[in-house]
Amino acid sequence: MKSIGASAARNELESRHRDFFERGFMLALIFSLGIGIIALVTLILQVLVEGFPRLNSELLTNFPSGNPEIAGAQSAIMGTIWVIGVTAAFTIPVGIGAAIYLEEYADKERWWNRFIELNLQNLAAVPAIVYGILGLAFIVRGFLGLGQTVLAAGLTLGLLVLPIVIISSREAIKAVPDTIRQGAYALGATRWQTVRRQVLPASIPGIATGTILALSRAIGEAAPLILIGGLTFITFNPESVNSNFTVLPIQIFNWVSRPQDEFRVLAAAAIVVLLVILLAMNALAIFLRNKYQRKY
Amino acid sequence: MARKVEGTTMTEENQAQVTPMQQIEPQHHADKAPRESLVTVDDVTVKYSGSTAVEGVTFDIATNEITALIGASGCGKSTLLRCINRMNDLIPGAEVTGTINYKGVDLYGEKIDPVQVRKLIGMVFQKPNPFPKSIYDNVAFGPRVLGIKEDLDEIVEKSLRRASLWDEVKNRLNSSALGMSGGQQQRLCIARAIATSPDVILMDEPCSALDPISTGRIEDLMEELKTRYTIVIVTHNMQQAARVSDKTAFFTVNVNEDDKRFGQLVEFDDTEKIFTNPSDQRTEDYVTGKVG
Ligand SMILES: Nc1ncnc2c1ncn2[C@@H]1O[C@H](COP(=O)(O)OP(=O)(O)OP(=O)(O)O)[C@@H](O)[C@H]1O
Ligand SMILES: [Mg+2]
């Protein structure tokens, strides 16, 4: 090694070009982040300002009406809750079960397991409207023939988000280190005991986060539900899974397309309600992730 | 292949088997009265997806002794260790031939349930792998899996005491095991293995991730444990093998005609003999540090 003088050493050690690029790159990153945030904030502010006059308790307690002064979104809010409840009840057990099978039980050498994996990715990318058509053909009519009910809507949305639930649950299960499984097996645990007592508890935060995000996607969907016959003018809350229903996105869609300005205000107010529900769900997901974050 | 060997017949066989050094067959010297063998490994070969990892290993593991497996990296020590509690069943493509008997029962017999095998033959891994749960739940996991619901507190305390960890953790049994030091975690893993009351404890380089003081504690612990359990330990630390073990098996890597590398047992004998007067030149070179 050749020795260098103090000033040469200083030259080597002090950065100049590096600084320039580093700052430039940082600015570019902040700029791209900025675009996203500004767009979102503008959107939220706009609906807040526009919907403000109707952001009152009547929006939550009244039913739809031809008179914009007294119209409210109660049946849509309750419909959303019912439909998402059905979606969750269907998609959570099925999705987690499928993920466990694929990660812990399936022999990845077999072609059918690889085929399923490949198709999950494809299914997650299928447009929502296609699920609407599927739901109409096989759930509302045809095979299941459930009619235009909460149950049919919940199942359709369940199919829509199932691939997302499976994929995110698999990621969470995969993140559990193998040493934990080995430790359990070495103590004489069966495969099911290992999954049930070690792998699942360790991956629940990840699974919950993915599932909540998937459900919040389902809440925002209008297209497939319009297709399977979500009604726009319903003046009663669902009483069972066999009731007819409407949901917030459909109600919003309907109000936006009315000619009167008052309905536009109503729509903006309903969008705020929908956003609040979505943000609350995402906040719950983030909370769960941070609370249970594990360092293995 | 199922050559059933009782302790006594084995001794006679061994004495007749003192062979020239260059032969690969392990050489048993029965100068002391031999203890009863608990596990017999007979002509065991393991292949991963068709390629041989370790070939034709034969040796006996005696009750309440510590048997050390030493040898260069890749000679199949871990592979062999995993055969003894059938952890190799979990590796896709792993294939075990030969016989491993536990108290005369073929562990690879048709009706044998690997899960039951692992309850009797516990394992401690190279890297401490506590479950992301409380200290208590870590130790209680094994008994719970066995369906034990009563006296769990007692079992946990006893196991932690035997792993000489109790005094350090008795006031924080409900805090996460992940907050412990590496050495404590490894002793917790030993406590966890003890909690299912196994007969044999397999340890794969249990101290390689630990500092000298923690290592010393675990070595002392092994001394104590061997009164109750039979221990097989893989180690790269010659001093450790010499200090703690009663018997030593030395493995080496061979290369066959097709240029494939595979492990073989060179010599199996009393530790003292292996380290002071080995029969095989390769053993001598290895234990005196002339090669890897
Ligand atoms: N899960 C596995 N799949 C395929 N090959 C494996 C597997 N585990 C080990 N092997 C191979 O088997 C041979 C023996 O490996 P093993 O881990 O048993 O050696 P080792 O003696 O324990 O080495 P080390 O001292 O480095 O731990 C090696 O050639 C290794 O590549
Ligand atoms: Mg190893």
Side-chain angles (χ1 to χ4, degrees):
Chain A
M1 237 217 273
K2 70 170 196 279
S3 65
I4 47 174
S7 69
R10 184 183 304 277
N11 254 338
E12 291 271 301
L13 293 170
E14 284 181 352
S15 55
R16 255 167 272 109
H17 306 291
R18 175 78 62 84
D19 249 26
F20 178 75
F21 282 115
E22 202 107 308
R23 290 218 185 110
F25 200 62
M26 190 77 160
L27 275 179
L29 290 180
I30 290 176
F31 179 71
S32 11
L33 182 67
I35 292 181
I37 290 184
I38 289 170
L40 186 66
V41 169
T42 320
L43 199 79
I44 291 178
L45 281 181
Q46 206 219 329
V47 289
L48 260 181
V49 170
E50 200 179 335
F52 187 74
R54 281 307 315 271
L55 270 179
N56 48 23
S57 63
E58 277 153 38
L59 177 71
L60 307 180
T61 54
N62 287 11
F63 288 101
S65 156
N67 176 0
E69 298 297 312
I70 58 164
Q74 166 149 75
S75 54
I77 294 170
M78 293 310 288
T80 287
I81 292 172
W82 271 88
V83 169
I84 288 304
V86 171
T87 303
F90 164 62
T91 202
I92 291 174
V94 175
I96 296 177
I100 291 174
Y101 169 76
L102 287 171
E103 279 308 312
E104 301 288 324
Y105 287 84
D107 179 353
K108 294 192 174 93
E109 310 280 292
R110 305 269 175 219
W111 68 265
W112 56 84
N113 288 323
R114 288 213 303 272
F115 181 75
I116 291 173
E117 280 200 48
L118 184 71
N119 274 286
L120 275 176
Q121 305 288 344
N122 291 337
L123 284 177
V126 168
I129 193 84
V130 175
Y131 282 97
I133 297 172
L134 185 80
L136 182 65
F138 291 102
I139 298 176
V140 175
R141 303 181 193 153
F143 184 60
L144 289 182
L146 296 176
Q148 302 177 340
T149 57
V150 167
L151 185 59
L155 291 181
T156 305
L157 288 184
L159 285 182
L160 172 70
V161 297
L162 191 57
I164 309 175
V165 173
I166 296 176
I167 290 170
S168 58
S169 301
R170 287 186 64 187
E171 292 306 320
I173 291 172
K174 228 184 276 183
V176 176
D178 233 19
T179 55
I180 289 188
R181 294 182 184 82
Q182 304 225 335
Y185 284 128
L187 290 168
T190 60
R191 196 192 287 241
W192 171 241
Q193 285 170 327
T194 304
V195 168
R196 166 74 189 71
R197 292 166 188 248
Q198 295 295 347
V199 177
L200 262 189
S203 53
I204 278 295
I207 293 177
T209 312
T211 306
I212 292 171
L213 293 180
L215 288 180
S216 66
R217 166 162 179 211
I219 282 191
E221 286 292 346
L225 295 189
I226 291 178
L227 206 74
I228 68 165
L231 306 176
T232 51
F233 193 81
I234 287 208
T235 53
F236 52 87
N237 292 331
E239 275 164 358
S240 76
V241 293
N242 294 319
S243 303
N244 288 346
F245 69 97
T246 185
V247 289
L248 271 171
I250 294 181
Q251 190 67 66
I252 293 166
F253 176 72
N254 171 256
W255 281 336
V256 169
S257 45
R258 295 284 190 97
Q260 300 99 313
D261 276 346
E262 290 91 334
F263 277 117
R264 212 90 35 87
V265 175
L266 208 49
I271 288 174
V272 172
V273 173
L274 187 59
L275 280 177
V276 166
I277 295 177
L278 287 179
L279 290 180
M281 288 179 75
N282 289 6
L284 179 66
I286 292 169
F287 169 77
L288 283 176
R289 196 179 58 208
N290 291 346
K291 173 145 190 235
Y292 294 102
Q293 212 157 41
R294 303 205 185 251
K295 39 178 202 319
Y296 296 106
Chain B
M1 205 78 349
R3 183 163 56 109
K4 282 255 167 66
V5 276
E6 298 297 318
T8 47
T9 55
M10 200 63 198
T11 332
E12 286 158 20
E13 229 172 81
N14 295 344
Q15 278 167 335
Q17 221 181 29
V18 181
T19 43
M21 314 197 291
Q22 49 272 39
Q23 217 164 319
I24 282 160
E25 279 285 293
Q27 293 146 34
H28 307 258
H29 288 261
D31 19 342
K32 285 185 221 157
R35 292 182 192 244
E36 187 196 342
S37 350
L38 185 65
V39 177
T40 59
V41 177
D42 187 12
D43 198 18
V44 166
T45 296
V46 186
K47 293 179 177 163
Y48 290 111
S49 315
S51 70
T52 306
V54 60
E55 190 171 78
V57 177
T58 302
F59 68 98
D60 293 351
I61 298 163
T63 311
N64 296 96
E65 282 193 350
I66 298 180
T67 304
L69 311 185
I70 62 170
S73 203
C75 63
K77 306 178 296 293
S78 302
T79 298
L80 195 79
L81 199 69
R82 284 198 300 263
C83 290
I84 301 176
N85 67 343
R86 295 197 59 174
M87 286 293 279
N88 270 343
D89 289 30
L90 303 172
I91 299 175
E95 183 196 335
V96 180
T97 51
T99 319
I100 299 180
N101 282 332
Y102 166 80
K103 292 189 175 167
V105 180
D106 181 1
L107 289 180
Y108 285 80
E110 227 170 87
K111 287 187 181 149
I112 302 294
D113 179 1
V115 170
Q116 301 299 330
V117 172
R118 294 182 203 127
K119 287 172 184 167
L120 286 171
I121 305 179
M123 190 166 211
V124 176
F125 298 84
Q126 176 169 1
K127 221 178 126 241
N129 59 344
F131 302 130
K133 294 178 182 298
S134 72
I135 293 171
Y136 184 98
D137 286 342
N138 261 275
V139 183
F141 179 78
R144 281 181 180 145
V145 155
L146 287 170
I148 297 172
K149 293 200 179 69
E150 286 137 44
D151 307 327
L152 270 183
D153 291 355
E154 225 170 279
I155 296 175
V156 169
E157 178 174 345
K158 194 180 73 185
S159 309
L160 285 170
R161 278 188 194 283
R162 287 193 182 165
S164 70
L165 191 59
W166 175 251
D167 291 328
E168 286 159 70
V169 301
K170 65 183 172 203
N171 294 323
R172 52 171 180 138
L173 290 177
N174 289 318
S175 55
S176 168
L178 300 179
M180 306 167 87
S181 76
Q184 288 175 325
Q185 290 187 355
Q186 195 62 304
R187 275 180 284 144
L188 179 68
C189 291
I190 294 175
R192 195 171 74 178
I194 292 173
T196 57
S197 325
D199 240 5
V200 183
I201 303 175
L202 310 173
M203 301 183 176
D204 194 350
E205 302 185 42
C207 304
S208 65
L210 306 182
D211 65 281
I213 294 181
S214 308
T215 301
R217 296 202 60 165
I218 291 196
E219 287 178 8
D220 294 344
L221 178 57
M222 284 193 278
E223 269 319 308
E224 285 167 34
L225 291 177
K226 85 177 202 185
T227 57
R228 288 198 177 84
Y229 310 96
T230 301
I231 297 175
V232 185
I233 176 177
V234 172
T235 177
H236 278 287
N237 181 334
M238 289 307 115
Q239 287 86 5
Q240 182 170 67
R243 271 194 303 266
V244 302
S245 72
D246 301 293
K247 293 266 169 45
T248 298
F250 169 63
F251 291 77
T252 190
V253 182
N254 272 1
V255 182
N256 70 6
E257 313 81 64
D258 307 330
D259 226 22
K260 290 252 171 62
R261 299 161 67 81
F262 64 98
Q264 263 184 321
L265 176 64
V266 175
E267 194 170 345
F268 174 72
D269 214 321
D270 290 334
T271 298
E272 209 186 313
K273 175 136 195 326
I274 293 274
F275 280 90
T276 55
N277 181 25
S279 315
D280 194 293
Q281 187 61 41
R282 289 167 294 177
T283 316
E284 180 162 348
D285 289 348
Y286 189 78
V287 299
T288 54
K290 283 202 194 110
V291 288

